[in-house]
Amino acid sequence: MKRFLVYIFLAFMAVPSLHATVFLVGRNIAISPGKSEDSLMLKDMGHSYLVIVPDSPEKVKQVSPLYAQWEKEIGCGKRGVIIGAYPEDNVSLLKASLQAQINATREDVPTQSFLCGTQDKKTVWNFTGGPVKSNLAEEEFIRRLLLNVQRYITVTKEHPIDYHALRSVAERTKNPEATWAQNCNAFAFSLLVYSGVNEIPTISTRHRAMPGHHRLLPDTLFYTFPPTSGILEKLRTEKSTFPHVLNRIIRSIRCQLQR
């Protein structure tokens, strides 16, 4: 019996890490903390992006030149890579493109607040999310993520992807269970799925909608590492919290009318 337990222990120790230190971060829409409190809309519609902080950065660098190229200080002495997609070039509700960016300056302050900020700073951004999980070894999962980001950037330079601002609003107001929106949330979700994710944390809250957070962008934008069978159904089981958001807006309007 003792020998059997030893074998089990050794086998367990030989299993690689089941997930990389990759975070899906949901936050209020704002470029600076102060602006996040200026508008009800900025609180009720959210933005998400990825933060990569490897447990074994040297091992990751051995298999991913992109990580070695993009790694930087991201807060609290931690080094990693920040990945997001934003509406750039001719930004408007009717015309904009969804462009991926590495280590965007606009994410420096929220990322520092997420990793090591005080509770006051974290409250301003109303963070949700957390670490994602993959059955891949850490270095392979990160390698795939960064290859897919580079692929997306290369493809969309020639064939820009429309940023669906109006669809984001429509999904938020008409059908919260839909996946119409083609935005930052859809990019983060797609990047994770095509790179081999197995579990994604919740980024919606009772007081904020995240349009597009279960939208899968076309696989031609990425190196398609086939998703695990049934993973999309599993990842899309999160229930929408939009009714709570709508009720909050209605209550706010009623209060204004009663004054």
Side-chain angles (χ1 to χ4, degrees), residues 64-135:
S64 177
L66 289 175
Y67 180 81
Q69 175 185 343
W70 292 334
E71 182 195 56
K72 74 164 193 172
E73 167 71 34
I74 58 175
C76 289
K78 300 180 185 296
R79 297 185 63 82
V81 178
I82 302 170
I83 303 170
Y86 314 89
E88 304 286 356
D89 301 338
N90 303 317
V91 178
S92 73
L93 286 176
L94 299 177
K95 178 66 176 179
S97 59
L98 183 62
Q99 297 181 349
Q101 290 189 32
I102 307 300
N103 297 328
T105 302
R106 73 186 69 187
E107 299 295 9
D108 286 346
V109 172
T111 299
Q112 290 173 10
S113 297
F114 177 78
L115 292 174
C116 53
T118 63
Q119 188 56 47
D120 287 345
K121 287 186 177 180
K122 292 183 178 182
T123 300
V124 166
W125 295 104
N126 191 19
F127 288 122
T128 53
V132 306
K133 295 183 180 179
S134 172
N135 288 336

Side-chain angles (χ1 to χ4, degrees), residues 230-248:
I231 192 66
L232 285 179
E233 291 74 13
K234 174 185 175 184
L235 297 176
R236 285 172 172 164
T237 55
E238 178 186 337
K239 298 299 183 181
S240 171
T241 57
F242 175 72
H244 300 288
V245 177
L246 182 59
N247 290 335
R248 181 173 170 228

Side-chain angles (χ1 to χ4, degrees), residues 21-225:
T21 309
V22 176
F23 298 92
L24 175 63
V25 182
R27 65 170 176 82
N28 292 338
I29 297 177
I31 295 177
S32 67
K35 291 185 179 180
S36 66
E37 298 179 350
D38 292 343
S39 167
L40 182 64
M41 179 65 77
L42 294 182
K43 288 185 176 181
D44 287 343
M45 293 187 66
H47 162 74
S48 63
Y49 66 105
L50 304 183
V51 177
I52 299 174
V53 191
D55 291 327
S56 304
E58 295 307 316
K59 187 181 292 187
V60 175
K61 290 176 185 178
Q62 290 176 5
V63 301
S64 177
L66 289 175
Y67 180 81
Q69 175 185 343
W70 292 334
E71 182 195 56
K72 74 164 193 172
E73 167 71 34
I74 58 175
C76 289
K78 300 180 185 296
R79 297 185 63 82
V81 178
I82 302 170
I83 303 170
Y86 314 89
E88 304 286 356
D89 301 338
N90 303 317
V91 178
S92 73
L93 286 176
L94 299 177
K95 178 66 176 179
S97 59
L98 183 62
Q99 297 181 349
Q101 290 189 32
I102 307 300
N103 297 328
T105 302
R106 73 186 69 187
E107 299 295 9
D108 286 346
V109 172
T111 299
Q112 290 173 10
S113 297
F114 177 78
L115 292 174
C116 53
T118 63
Q119 188 56 47
D120 287 345
K121 287 186 177 180
K122 292 183 178 182
T123 300
V124 166
W125 295 104
N126 191 19
F127 288 122
T128 53
V132 306
K133 295 183 180 179
S134 172
N135 288 336
L136 299 169
E138 176 181 71
E139 61 271 20
E140 175 61 16
F141 185 41
I142 292 177
R143 185 185 75 89
R144 291 188 182 193
L145 284 168
L146 299 184
L147 280 175
N148 271 330
V149 173
Q150 185 63 69
R151 165 75 175 176
Y152 182 93
I153 291 172
T154 300
V155 172
T156 55
K157 279 184 179 178
E158 295 294 327
H159 306 284
I161 296 299
D162 290 337
Y163 176 75
H164 290 166
L166 289 179
R167 287 192 184 183
S168 295
V169 175
E171 178 179 320
R172 173 182 176 276
T173 56
K174 284 190 172 184
N175 187 357
E177 301 298 333
T179 53
W180 298 332
Q182 195 162 273
N183 55 18
C184 59
N185 301 320
F187 171 82
F189 178 75
S190 301
L191 178 59
L192 290 169
V193 170
Y194 288 131
S195 299
V197 76
N198 285 86
E199 186 174 326
I200 298 178
T202 299
I203 58 175
S204 290
T205 74
R206 294 184 68 251
H207 304 296
R208 183 179 66 206
M210 302 291 279
H213 71 301
H214 284 162
R215 160 86 179 209
L216 200 60
L217 299 177
D219 59 10
T220 53
L221 302 174
F222 304 89
Y223 292 112
T224 311
F225 300 99

Side-chain angles (χ1 to χ4, degrees), residues 1-11:
M1 182 64 180
K2 288 183 179 180
R3 182 178 297 178
F4 176 72
L5 292 175
V6 169
Y7 288 153
I8 292 178
F9 174 77
L10 292 175

